[in-house]
Structure formats: structure tokens, C-alpha cells
Amino acid sequence: MSTQDKIKKLLAGLPGAVEMTPLELNDMRFSGRKTVITPAELKRIKNALTARK
Amino acid sequence: MAAPDYTILSDFLTILGVRHTDSYTNRSFRSMPFPTMFGLKKLLATYGVESVGLKLADSDMIDRLPTPFIAQTSRGMVIVTAVDADTVMYVTQSVEETATKGRFSAAMTGNVFVAFADDNACEPDYAVHRFTEIANIAKKWVLAALAVALLGYAIVSNGIYRHISTVLLTIIDIAGVYISTLLVMKSAHIKSRHADAVCSVVQAGGCDDILATPASKFFGIFGWSEVGLAYFGVSLGCLLMFPDHIDDLALCNLICLPFSFWSVWYQKFKAKSWCTLCLCVQSLLWLSFFCYLGGSWLRQAFHPGTGFFVLGACYVAVMLAINAIMPLIDRNNDYVNSR
């Protein structure tokens, strides 16, 4: 099975999901910071996101 | 000394089971002109790994994705290694963590990066890179083996083993070289787990506090850590190669002893902070003194000849050489590092 077929199959099982464009991938930058994202850090991120809403 | 090298690329390839070498992989990752997911996609392609970025409509759907995959959070990327009904296992900065699925998906941006690696996926020129990596590891072992062999030869051929005081002096000097090296590394802002572990024995952060004071440098020119490394290095070399000059070494040790009083006084009353590594150096100086005293080497030390002055010149020459090298290895020296 080719990679494109694998992607199509994957997208079929993920309603609403879309493939990212090269431009969108370029917007996903690596910060270079060495932050260990612990479960406690995840909770802080979640709380920050909730507060923003 | 330094923590094992890693990047998200080397972690990802390891989890995918793709043959690679950490040195080449991490170098490739760090030399990406634009460190983005698009760059990572291009890099993965050179390993024969195809990949795709997906925007999920609902982050709870991560259990439908093939693992491993990279997930984005607002604080950075993590590699998800397994998802079940309640938990998500992931790797962040080479550390394995487990979180509840609810907490994990809530922290996600919804962007994921999925890779497809087949059995033939492999680093370009993997065999050559692997050979180089093994050769680099072997170099360190050969160096250690040769150092031990030469040390053993010097101890036997120069009769160091015949007197307990000279055996102890050899051990003290080796310990002094090690401790001074850790101090020099700290002065050069080179991270070392060993140095941090020793420094935290008496007072966490004490070494850094002391090394940041102007008193850590002799007239603002030579770091005391450099003086220490030169002292123990030359003493060890002289003891092993020219043991006849042990009386000159004893006199030099005696001359250095007042420094230990000043150092302890400074740490207690001026800096009000304790540097464990510095205290180790002072202790080693005094232990050396007791060895010279116990071995009756001081008795012959008060009639210094040419050898004493040659030894003094060696101390100064090595200290100047270390001092000249310091700007080249200092991690905070932007001018040198940018060249």
C-alpha cells in the first residue's frame, strides 16, 4: 500500500480531520526550549486554555 | 559528563525502530535552517520515512491514530507512544510520561504528525556513521586504558609503590586533577552532572555563587580553578616521572597552604556561601601536606635547588596554557563561539 493510500485510509477513520499543507507544517516550529511536558504541565496548559475561553 | 544527546528526531526514529546514529541524526536536526515540522518531514524522507501532518477536528480521536506520532501542545511537541481508553503514554525530551487521556487531549492543539516507516527505512550512509560512532566510543576507552597503563608503568618503574605516602600522594593528586577539572568546567559554564552532584553536597548552588564572585579570579586574571588544575596536574606528573623531586613538591605544597585559610575565610565571612568543590581542593591540599609530613619529605625541602625553580616554572607554564585555552572552551564566550 502506498503512503497516499495509507493517508487516505487514516483520514477516512478520522471524521473532520484534514491533511496539513506545507505552509501549515512550516508554522509548527520547534522552540528549542528543553521543557519536559509532565502531566502536571499538561494540566497547567489545559487550565490556561480553559481560562482563555 | 554531559547528559546523553537527544533531539525529538532521534527519539522519534528510536521509537519507530528506524536504524540511525544519534550523532548524525541530532546534527541533521539542529542544522535545519528552519526548525519546523515541514523541515522534519523533509528530514524523515531522507531516512525513507514518509509522514503527514493532520489537523484533528476533535483531539479525543487520538486513539484512532497509529503510534508513534508527534502531538503539538502550546508548550512544545511530544511523541505519543501508546493510547488506550484512559491513558496516553508519551515521550517528552527523552523522558517517558503517562497522563490521563482527558488531560492530554485537552492540552493538545489538535495538530498531529504521523509517520510511516517500512522495514527498509534507514539513515543515509548508516554503516559509515555507525562505524564512526563506534570508533569515537573506542577512542575514549583506548585513552582510558592507555592512561591506566602509563600510570601503572610509572608507579612500578619509579618505585612509587615502595612508600605509602607516595601512593597516597598519587591518589590525592589524581583526585585533585578530577575535582579541579570539574571546577574548570563550571567556570567555563560547561554543564556537568558530576560537578552538580558534588556541589550540592554542602550547599546547592554554592559553587556557582562562589565562582561568580570576583575573588574566584586571582587579580581578575587567573581563575583559582585553573591554578588548582595546574597545581595538581603538574604535581602528579612530577611525582610520577621525577619522584626524586618530591622534596620540591613538598615545599610547593607548603607554600600553597595559606591559600586554604583565605579561601575558607572568604566563603564563610565574605561570600556567605559554601563551594563544595573548593572545599574538596582545600582538603586535598592539607591531605597532601600530611602525606609529605608523614613521609618525612619536608625535612629535605628547605634547601631548594634548581629543581624547585624549574618545578615552579612548570606550574606557571601549565597555568598560563590552561588560562589561554579557557576562552576557547567557555560556553558563555559569544565572541569565540560565534566564529
Side-chain angles (χ1 to χ4, degrees):
Chain A
M1 193 192 286
S2 74
T3 306
Q4 277 309 315
D5 292 337
K6 286 179 190 170
I7 294 168
K8 271 183 199 163
K9 195 179 163 191
L10 189 62
L11 285 170
L14 297 164
V18 287
E19 189 176 339
M20 293 173 80
T21 64
L23 214 62
E24 285 170 327
L25 283 173
N26 238 356
D27 285 339
M28 284 175 77
R29 296 184 73 88
F30 295 101
S31 67
R33 279 178 298 172
K34 293 266 181 189
T35 312
V36 176
I37 301 170
T38 58
E41 183 69 19
L42 287 174
K43 191 179 178 183
R44 276 192 286 275
I45 298 170
K46 179 187 163 185
N47 291 343
L49 288 171
T50 313
R52 217 177 290 166
K53 285 172 191 169
Chain B
M1 302 257 180
D5 199 18
Y6 66 86
T7 57
I8 195 168
L9 177 60
S10 58
D11 282 347
F12 198 40
L13 289 172
T14 303
I15 296 163
L16 280 167
V18 175
R19 283 173 297 158
H20 70 284
T21 59
D22 285 344
S23 49
Y24 174 83
T25 301
N26 294 336
R27 200 168 54 245
S28 304
F29 182 80
R30 290 190 181 116
S31 58
M32 276 196 294
F34 301 103
T36 66
M37 272 297 178
F38 186 69
L40 185 72
K41 182 183 169 75
K42 293 282 175 196
L43 256 183
L44 281 170
T46 65
Y47 288 77
V49 178
E50 294 302 325
S51 54
V52 63
L54 300 174
K55 271 193 204 177
L56 300 181
D58 181 359
S59 293
D60 284 331
M61 288 193 291
I62 51 171
D63 54 359
R64 299 186 196 176
L65 293 167
T67 54
F69 62 87
I70 295 175
Q72 188 188 34
T73 74
S74 60
R75 299 281 167 88
M77 321 277 185
V78 298
I79 304 167
V80 177
T81 52
V83 184
D84 63 26
D86 306 311
T87 56
V88 175
M89 293 175 74
Y90 64 98
V91 172
T92 163
Q93 306 293 341
S94 247
V95 179
E96 285 180 37
E97 296 280 7
T98 305
T100 59
K101 195 179 159 203
R103 183 180 288 187
F104 187 89
S105 55
M108 278 179 63
T109 61
N111 293 343
V112 293
F113 191 77
V114 183
F116 309 95
D118 62 28
D119 295 339
N120 298 324
C122 184
E123 179 176 297
D125 297 324
Y126 172 73
V128 177
H129 298 157
R130 184 82 186 119
F131 175 78
T132 311
E133 201 168 69
I134 291 169
N136 281 331
I137 294 166
K139 271 195 309 195
K140 289 177 188 164
W141 283 103
V142 170
L143 176 66
L146 284 174
V148 170
L150 286 170
L151 181 72
Y153 173 76
I155 287 173
V156 173
S157 67
N158 290 327
I160 303 289
Y161 65 92
R162 290 198 195 109
H163 204 287
I164 185 72
S165 66
T166 48
V167 174
L168 288 173
L169 278 167
T170 308
I171 295 167
I172 290 166
D173 284 341
I174 291 170
V177 168
Y178 177 68
I179 296 287
S180 304
T181 304
L182 294 183
L183 264 172
V184 166
M185 286 172 74
K186 272 223 160 275
S187 303
H189 309 97
I190 298 169
K191 190 118 184 81
S192 160
R193 279 184 294 127
H194 297 276
D196 291 340
V198 178
C199 280
S200 60
V201 171
V202 176
Q203 185 184 349
C207 296
D208 297 307
D209 291 344
I210 297 293
L211 288 172
T213 64
S216 70
K217 283 187 184 274
F218 181 62
F219 288 117
I221 305 168
F222 304 108
W224 284 113
S225 55
E226 299 158 31
V227 178
L229 184 57
Y231 171 79
F232 286 108
V234 172
S235 297
L236 178 65
C238 180
L239 182 67
L240 291 175
M241 287 187 280
F242 311 105
D244 295 345
H245 288 277
I246 192 165
D247 47 339
D248 296 324
L249 286 170
L251 186 56
C252 284
N253 173 259
L254 198 64
I255 292 167
C256 292
L257 281 182
F259 162 74
S260 63
F261 292 114
W262 174 81
S263 177
V264 171
W265 171 83
Y266 188 89
Q267 289 178 61
K268 183 166 172 59
F269 296 106
K270 281 273 183 183
K272 293 184 173 59
S273 192
W274 291 106
C275 162
T276 316
L277 287 169
C278 312
L279 293 174
C280 288
V281 171
Q282 321 310 338
S283 309
L284 291 171
L285 271 177
W286 276 95
L287 285 174
S288 301
F289 169 72
F290 289 121
C291 287
Y292 289 121
L293 198 67
S296 302
W297 305 113
L298 272 167
R299 232 182 281 166
Q300 308 147 38
F302 296 104
H303 306 286
T306 319
F308 173 77
F309 297 101
V310 172
L311 183 63
C314 288
Y315 282 125
V316 175
V318 172
M319 189 182 70
L320 289 173
I322 296 169
N323 186 255
I325 294 166
M326 282 303 280
L328 303 175
I329 62 169
D330 194 334
R331 294 279 162 91
N332 275 13
N333 193 335
D334 293 337
Y335 172 70
V336 172
N337 290 339
S338 65
R339 293 171 84 187

